[in-house]
Amino acid sequence: MTMNQMKIGSTAVVKRLDVCSGMRRRLQDLGLIENTCIECLLKSPFGDPCAYLIRGAVIAIRSDESSKILIY
């Protein structure tokens, strides 16, 4: 399952980041690393971007990036 498929209010754990090196580094700097617990808080009216609770911070991520983040 990928991060963009999460429902509002659901939680998951990051399994793997399948993104290029530049975006990978940026997501890791935001705290999005393997085995991190995340929660989907809000989705915009058109579904892009979505707000996630990651390590105590609310971060909005576009669906094209979140579709490359595998969760379980």
Side-chain angles (χ1 to χ4, degrees):
M1 183 173 174
T2 58
M3 194 168 155
N4 67 330
Q5 297 172 327
M6 291 179 69
K7 304 290 184 207
I8 295 174
S10 64
T11 59
V13 177
V14 176
K15 182 177 181 180
R16 187 176 69 227
L17 302 175
D18 286 338
V19 294
C20 62
S21 61
M23 182 53 73
R24 180 182 187 86
R25 175 69 179 170
R26 178 148 172 77
L27 292 172
Q28 288 175 332
D29 288 344
L30 293 171
L32 202 61
I33 58 174
E34 287 81 4
N35 297 319
T36 298
C37 185
I38 57 173
E39 180 181 356
C40 182
L41 297 178
L42 300 167
K43 291 191 177 202
S44 68
F46 295 108
D48 193 28
C50 295
Y52 300 95
L53 181 64
I54 302 170
R55 296 183 177 252
V58 177
I59 300 171
I61 302 176
R62 293 186 199 114
S63 63
D64 59 332
E65 281 99 21
S66 62
S67 67
K68 297 173 185 168
I69 300 169
L70 299 174
I71 58 173
Y72 61 93

